[in-house]
Amino acid sequence: MKRKNLLQSFNQSRREFLRTTAMLSAGVAASGLLSSAAYAAREKEMNIYCWEGYNSDKVLDPFRREFDCEVKAQGLISDPEAVNQLRAGDTKVWDIINLNNAWGRKQLYPEGLIKPLDKAKFEPLWDMMIPEFKWPYKWAMSDDGENLLGMIQRYGPSGVLVNTDKVSAATLEDEGYDLFLADDFKGRYAVLMYDDWVVMHVAIAAGFSPFRAVTDEELAKYEVLMRKLINNAAFLSDDMNAIALGMINGSIDGSFPGSVYTVSAARLDGNPNLRCVVPNKGPEELGGRAGVRWMELTSLVNNPQLSPRGEDFLQYCYRPETCKNVSFAEGTYNPVGQMGDPRVMALFSAEELDAFQYDTLEADMNKCTDFDIIPDYTRLHDIFSAAVREKA
Amino acid sequence: MNKLSRSADWIDQAEPRKPRKVSRLDRLRDAVRNPGFVAAVPISLLFIAGFLAPLTVVVLFAFMPPETFSLLQVPTLDNFRSIFAGTYYLSFVSSLELATCTVVILLVVCYPLAVAMVRIFGNKGSILAIVLAAPLFVADNLRLMGWMLFLVKGGVVSGTLQTYFGIELDSMLYTFSATLFGLVYIYLPFMLFPMVLGVSMVPPKLREAAFDLGATNAQVLREIDIPLAMPGIIIGALICFILVAGAITEAKVLGGTAVVMIAQDIQKEFTFAQNWPKGSALSVLLIAMGGALSWALFKRVDLDTIFGRK
C-alpha cells in the first residue's frame, strides 16, 4: 500500500484531519490544565516584594540553589505604595512582603493582607534576637498578642546625616534639627525624598509627635519649617547613593533625614566621616526622643496560592550566614536583630561593624521613638508636596 | 438547437433577477469576512486591553472620592476642585515650559542633521542613523545615571578639569538646565527620525527647479524645504512635546527636583500620598492637554502624505 504523505492525508480525509486536530487540541488543553495545576502548587517559585537588600542575589541565590526555586524579587522605596498594591489585589502576586514595622500590625494584618506565622516554628528562633527585640516583640505580634505577624531582621535609627569633617556630631546632637534649618546651612544639605520620613522628622523638628492627630497651630508651625527645609536644600533626591556621593565630593555637608543605611556603604568604602546622627532632644510627648527607629517586618502575604517556599525563606533568613548576607546586602549595610546570637556576631569584622556605626547604635536607638502610622498623613503630606512644587 | 441558441432561450425565459435584499446580518457577515477587519483584530484587541481599558479605569478613578481604592462609589468632582484650588498649575507650567524648550532646541539641532543624513551622507546616512539610534537600546535610567557621574562634582568633567588644568568646577547637576539637557539628550532620536522622514519627502527636482528660477538658499529653505518637510517636523515635535510633558526621571536624576514636573506629582499621588483618585484626576488633565494638542496639530497634518499614499 502506498504510504500517504501528510498533504495527501489532509486532502483525502477531512474528517480524519478534524479528528486528529480535536485530539491534539484536547491534549494541549489537558497539558494546560496540568501545568496550571502545577502552577497552583507553586512549589518551585516564590515572589518577594521588599526594601533594597532582600532582592540582592547575595541573599537570594543560595536560596534559589538550595530549594531549586525560581525567586522573583522587586524592590520598593515606599511603604504606603506597597500597602496600596496589596490592597489593589497584588496579594495574588507576592508571597513575601518586607515593610517597616508598624504597617503589619496596624494595617496589613487587620485588613487580611498578611498571614500569621506558625509560632511553634518561629518562637525558638527568637532566641537569636538582641534583648531589645525579645519575645513577644510588639511589632511582630498582632494587637491582641495572639498571632506572630512576621520576622524582624534589619533595623536602625533615623536622624540626619552629616559630614563630621564639616560639622561635628556633638554639635549636631546638641543643636538638633535647628542646625539644618538655620539660614547659614542653606544650600549645604540634601533632602532624602522618602516622603513619610521627611514628614515625620519635620513634625518632630516642629516639636510635636507625628503619630497622633495634629492641631492647626502645630500644622502652621510644621508648614513654616517644611518650606524652609525644602527651599534651603541644595537638591532633593530619592537616591540615597546620590546623596552619599554629594557628601563625599563635598557638594553637600548633610542630608535631612537620613539613617545609618544611607551612608553605611560609603563608610565601609573609606569615608568614616559620614555619619548618621540623632539629636539629643526631641518633643516631651515622645519622651524627649528626636529620632525615629525602624525595624523591618518580613511577613507571608495572604496569597490564595501561597508558595510553600515563603515560610522556608523566612526560616532561611535566620541562618547566621543569611543574617550576614542580609545585613551586608549590595549597596546598603544594616544591623540585624539576630546579632544577639554569637554565631551571627562572629561573622562581622570590626570594619563592618563600624560601617553601620555599631559603637553608637544602642545609644542612637535609645534616642529614637518607634516608627508608627501617621494619622494626619494626608494633611502633612499635602503641605510637603506643595512646598516641593513651590520651591523657591 | 445548438448550444448557443439554447442558452439564449434560457436567458429569454429567465425572469429579471431582483436585487437581493441585503440584511443587517449579511452586512455584518461581509464586514467580518473582510480581510481588513480580520487584519485589524489583533491590534484592536491590543488597543482595547492595553490602552482603552486602563485609560477607562483612570478616568473613572478621577471621579471617585479622594483617598479611596474602589470604583464602586458615588462620583464626585472633589479631586478636580482640590487640584484647581492648589498649586498643581506650577507643575503643569514647568512641564509645558520644559517641553517647549526641549522641542525648540531639538528642532534647531535635528533639522541640519536630518538634512545632512538625507542629502549629504548618502548611503553613510544609515550608519549615522544606527549610531544615533544605538542609545535607545540602553535604558533611560542607566544613561541618565551615566550623565550624573559625568557631571557631578568630582565626576568625569570637573575631575578632569581640576586634575589637568587646575580649574575647580562645582556640580553641574540639580538645576533647570541640567534637567533640560537630560530631556534633549533622551528625546533626540524621537525628533530626528520623523524629521528625516519629512526631509526625505522633499523632491530634489523641485529644489533644483527653484534654484534654476533664481531662488536663493533662504527662499528654498523657507518656501520649499520646510513646508514640504513640515509633516515630519510636526510629528517629531508632537511626539517629543508629549513625551517630555509626561517625563519624570530626568528631573529627578539630573535635576535634583529643582523643577517638579507634573508626572512627579502624579507619581506621588499614586505612591506616597496613597491618593489614587487625585493621581487619576491629574493624569486625566495631562491626557486631555496632550490630546487637545495632538488633535489641533493633526488637523494640519495629512498622515496619508507622510506615509506616501498620496
Side-chain angles (χ1 to χ4, degrees), chain A residues 49-52 75-87 97-104 107-108 113 154 193-197 200 261 292-298 371-374 377, chain B residues 69 270-274 276:
Chain A
Y49 193 26
C50 56
W51 282 94
E52 76 285 343
L76 60 92
I77 62 158
S78 158
D79 287 327
E81 180 185 3
V83 173
N84 283 344
Q85 289 194 5
L86 292 185
R87 281 182 182 137
I97 181 80
N98 162 251
L99 295 177
N100 284 304
N101 47 295
W103 297 99
Q107 294 200 354
L108 295 182
L113 301 172
R154 298 189 295 192
M193 297 287 275
Y194 292 173
D195 296 16
D196 41 350
W197 292 86
M200 278 184 274
Y261 65 82
V292 182
R293 59 188 173 215
W294 55 271
M295 316 86 193
E296 288 174 359
L297 180 78
T298 311
F371 167 77
D372 208 337
I373 305 294
I374 307 167
Y377 182 70
Chain B
F69 301 94
F270 276 103
T271 56
F272 283 106
Q274 303 185 71
W276 293 5

Side-chain angles (χ1 to χ4, degrees), chain B residues 83-122:
Chain B
I83 289 166
F84 289 117
T87 53
Y88 289 94
Y89 68 91
L90 290 172
S91 307
F92 275 105
V93 169
S94 298
S95 297
L96 294 179
E97 186 184 1
L98 274 165
T100 307
C101 292
T102 306
V103 167
V104 169
I105 292 171
L106 284 174
L107 284 172
V108 173
V109 170
C110 291
Y111 186 75
L113 189 57
V115 170
M117 286 171 72
V118 173
R119 297 195 199 129
I120 298 172
F121 294 129

Side-chain angles (χ1 to χ4, degrees), chain B residues 32 39 62 75 77 98 104 147 165 168 205 230 241 267 269 278 292-293 299 307:
Chain B
V32 169
L77 290 172
L98 274 165
V104 169
W147 275 111
F165 304 103
E168 193 167 341
K205 285 180 182 170
M230 192 54 84
F241 191 92
Q267 189 195 45
E269 293 301 335
K278 195 195 261 188
L293 187 71
K299 276 178 72 177
F307 293 115

